[in-house]
Amino acid sequence: MSSSLTPESVVPLQVIPEQGVLVQEFVIPAVTFLVGFIAVFLVGKVVLTPVVKRVLATRGHDPSVQSLADSLMSVVVWVLALTIALTLAGFGGFIAALGVFGGAVALAVGFAAQDLLGNFVAGIFILKDRPFEVGDWIEVGDITGRVQDIDLRVTRLKTFDNELITVPNGDLANNALKNPVAFDKLRQKFVFGIGYDDDIDHAKEVILDEAAKHPDILDDPGTSIRVSELADSYVGLQTRFWIANPNRADFVKTRSELVQAVKERCDAEAIDMPYPHTQLTGGIEVDGLKADQATTTSDD
């Protein structure tokens, strides 16, 4: 039994979609996504980010907060551009799937990078509480340096030996740190030692006079002196003085100049500034040794 196929009964096999379907389902969404992404990204970079920077600068936020805001705004602009472009292109289902996948990835990364996330959270609290700012010099543990940059994960310090130290924000947030320049004045202390035979009141007058002559030492609060110790070789006079707008270079220089001026003044006014020394007294009996030496010589 044979059958014949007519041209009308043959159904053509379409491997490649028709041109209209291809344009409708692929080209137009791709172009819409690309145009939407570029438009939102440019608006965010040209308009949104500069506005945020200007608002923070107007409100007096320090450069560290402005730098953090710049980093966060870059991430926000990318996320907004991607999300809006996908929505305009009709890929809402893809966004939902991406959100579920991103949540799972975030959960896995959270368990694997707890320290990293802890440093991130600590960085946010540092920028919120502002225990220090860019330009301050701080001391944490045995590390001393000037703050160069505050990032979300780490803080970078430049030591006074011109070394760069990167400190995780978790260490700064969870440990005690000292910020000597947090306020507009800083008090310094130094113990001058004078001899037991010297006049204490006279020595105090000399120290106060030299402190009053120094242009960087404040008159209010004034310099104060207290007898702090009776050491083996000297009487300790603890001198406390204040400097304004402190930084490390200023206070080291000021203290050095005051100590030198007091030392030279004390030398000129015959005020002794003794140093620890040991003196041996007594004698050694050597008569027996001489007798033995004499006996040995006579035997020879």
Side-chain angles (χ1 to χ4, degrees):
M1 182 177 181
S2 62
S3 61
S4 59
L5 297 177
T6 62
E8 291 78 5
S9 63
V10 177
V11 178
L13 180 63
Q14 289 186 341
V15 178
I16 301 176
E18 295 182 359
Q19 185 176 2
V21 176
L22 183 66
V23 171
Q24 184 70 27
E25 294 186 0
F26 295 99
V27 176
I28 293 179
V31 172
T32 303
F33 171 81
L34 185 61
V35 172
F37 181 85
I38 293 176
V40 175
F41 183 81
L42 290 178
V43 170
K45 283 293 185 181
V46 176
V47 179
L48 186 60
T49 301
V51 167
V52 172
K53 287 183 178 180
R54 194 176 302 112
V55 169
L56 293 176
T58 303
R59 295 187 177 183
H61 290 281
D62 59 87
S64 59
V65 176
Q66 297 180 34
S67 176
L68 173 62
D70 188 32
S71 300
L72 290 178
M73 288 306 303
S74 297
V75 176
V76 170
V77 168
W78 273 95
V79 173
L80 282 177
L82 184 61
T83 303
I84 294 175
L86 288 173
T87 303
L88 293 175
F91 297 127
F94 178 77
I95 295 177
L98 185 63
V100 174
F101 177 74
V105 171
L107 184 62
V109 171
F111 282 109
Q114 296 183 24
D115 292 340
L116 182 64
L117 293 177
N119 290 328
F120 179 86
V121 174
I124 295 177
F125 278 103
I126 287 175
L127 293 171
K128 173 182 175 295
D129 298 335
R130 301 175 67 178
F132 54 84
E133 300 177 356
V134 172
D136 290 353
W137 64 272
I138 62 174
E139 299 178 10
V140 51
D142 57 351
I143 299 174
T144 301
R146 192 179 301 279
V147 179
Q148 296 292 302
D149 179 55
I150 305 174
D151 204 346
L152 281 178
R153 187 178 66 85
V154 298
T155 295
R156 297 172 181 86
L157 304 179
K158 181 180 180 182
T159 70
F160 299 101
D161 294 327
N162 204 33
E163 301 169 329
L164 181 64
I165 298 180
T166 301
V167 184
N169 286 333
D171 293 345
L172 297 177
N174 299 324
N175 295 300
L177 64 87
K178 181 167 68 173
N179 185 357
V181 295
F183 304 106
D184 58 349
K185 292 187 289 290
L186 176 66
R187 189 180 73 176
Q188 287 294 292
K189 297 182 290 186
F190 190 85
V191 176
F192 292 98
I194 64 174
Y196 273 88
D197 295 332
D198 292 309
D199 188 343
I200 294 177
D201 291 333
H202 182 204
K204 286 183 177 181
E205 292 176 359
V206 168
I207 297 172
L208 290 173
D209 186 45
E210 293 301 321
K213 292 179 182 178
H214 199 289
D216 294 328
I217 296 179
L218 297 177
D219 295 328
D220 185 19
T223 302
S224 62
I225 304 174
R226 298 289 186 273
V227 177
S228 60
E229 56 184 311
L230 300 176
D232 293 337
S233 58
Y234 66 88
V235 177
L237 303 180
Q238 186 180 78
T239 303
R240 301 177 179 181
F241 58 94
W242 294 80
I243 60 175
N245 300 320
N247 61 60
R248 185 176 176 87
D250 286 345
F251 99 75
V252 171
K253 175 176 176 289
T254 301
R255 186 175 63 181
S256 174
E257 291 174 349
L258 176 63
V259 172
Q260 180 177 345
V262 171
K263 173 64 170 63
E264 293 173 352
R265 179 77 176 275
C266 287
D267 290 343
E269 302 200 13
I271 298 176
D272 188 22
M273 303 188 77
Y275 54 88
H277 63 278
T278 302
Q279 181 179 359
L280 297 178
T281 59
I284 301 176
E285 182 66 41
V286 297
D287 292 341
L289 178 60
K290 289 182 179 179
D292 292 339
Q293 289 177 346
T295 302
T296 304
T297 302
S298 62
D299 291 341
D300 293 341

